[in-house]
Amino acid sequence: MNKFGVVLAACAGVALSMTVGAGLASAAGGTISGTVKYDGTAPPPRKVEVTKDKEVCALHPHFEEDLVVGSGGGIENAVVIVKGAKGDMKPGDVKFEQKGCDYVPHVLAFPAGSTVDIINSDGILHNIHTYSTKNPSFNMAQPKFKKVIQRKIDQPEVIKVTCDAHGWMHAWWVATDTPYFAVTDDKGNYSIPGVPPGDYQVEVWQEKLGTEDQKVDVKDGATATSNFSLKPKG
């Protein structure tokens, strides 16, 4: 290679390095994190009476899960979604388990287009009944020999799930139109990394308290804080 070729190669290497570096920085994005808390004195958890299949279902106490508030006021199982944030959806298989006559998790969030693996770990008859409008609803028995049922959820939607065999069992599937979402932990905390820089509406959904949203400015490599305080409805 002559001297001119060496110079061109060096320049090309620098340009390539700059391009890759810029791409990595852009892909890193920023993080949105915060806490979802209950505004007021949280109601005590209500115990559920087990009326069927007690040899399996009564091995531990059951409580209603429509509003779970920790000792610090944080709300568990609230879904936080960055509205309008575009990115690779990466739908896949997500697991939804019937275990001890409870749904685990109580709130399952996933990108639309994912397939839900509905698992019967109890060895008794369950019945999956979904309530939806954008996606086809279904009502299907799942006996003990049918360990897994799969259902693909194509459209973004909040879907209620119940068990017709055990009336206290209910849960929610939240299919999102963005990969940038999170479900709060038992302290009400959440963190959503890799959000592309920009101005967004961040929405929180909680099955009993409804939705609220806030404006958030996301900067590359920085963390933006978005805390929510939810009040009982009317």
Side-chain angles (χ1 to χ4, degrees):
M1 181 182 293
N2 59 29
K3 184 176 180 180
F4 183 65
V6 171
V7 171
L8 282 178
C11 291
V14 171
L16 177 60
S17 174
M18 291 175 64
T19 301
V20 171
L24 290 173
S26 177
T31 298
I32 302 174
S33 65
T35 304
V36 180
K37 290 194 172 184
Y38 186 80
D39 184 357
T41 302
R46 295 182 298 276
K47 193 170 183 178
V48 171
E49 182 183 0
V50 174
T51 57
K52 188 177 180 181
D53 296 317
K54 293 185 179 182
E55 71 282 0
V56 174
C57 299
L59 295 179
H60 68 273
H62 296 260
F63 296 89
E64 292 187 6
E65 299 179 89
D66 57 354
L67 180 60
V68 180
V69 181
S71 58
I75 300 174
E76 186 175 358
N77 289 325
V79 182
V80 183
I81 300 173
V82 186
K83 306 295 286 185
K86 303 300 182 184
D88 186 358
M89 290 290 284
K90 293 183 179 178
D93 285 4
V94 292
K95 298 188 183 304
F96 182 70
E97 189 173 10
Q98 297 150 114
K99 186 175 182 180
C101 301
D102 283 326
Y103 284 131
V104 183
H106 177 68
V107 174
L108 178 66
F110 51 86
S114 296
T115 297
V116 182
D117 293 339
I118 306 163
I119 304 167
N120 184 351
S121 298
D122 284 336
I124 58 176
L125 173 68
H126 283 297
N127 188 89
I128 298 291
H129 192 170
T130 66
Y131 299 83
S132 55
T133 55
K134 295 181 180 178
N135 296 278
S137 297
F138 64 93
N139 187 358
M140 181 177 295
Q142 188 172 15
K144 62 182 181 180
F145 58 82
K146 200 162 191 175
K147 186 74 172 177
V148 180
I149 294 174
Q150 291 187 318
R151 280 294 180 271
K152 188 179 180 184
I153 307 299
D154 287 311
Q155 300 300 320
E157 185 179 11
V158 176
I159 300 172
K160 184 176 181 179
V161 184
T162 65
C163 176
D164 290 346
H166 307 94
W168 65 87
M169 291 178 64
H170 78 277
W172 299 87
W173 297 347
V174 181
T176 69
D177 61 357
T178 173
Y180 302 107
F181 62 88
V183 180
T184 55
D185 64 16
D186 59 356
K187 294 180 175 60
N189 298 323
Y190 74 92
S191 182
I192 306 173
V195 181
D199 294 326
Y200 299 101
Q201 290 288 124
V202 177
E203 180 183 85
V204 61
W205 171 89
Q206 202 282 330
E207 62 184 280
K208 191 171 183 179
L209 304 178
T211 61
E212 285 193 13
D213 55 59
Q214 295 180 2
K215 292 182 179 179
V216 177
D217 179 18
V218 178
K219 291 182 171 58
D220 207 7
T223 297
T225 301
S226 184
N227 295 321
F228 292 88
S229 181
L230 303 182
K231 298 180 180 180
K233 294 298 178 183

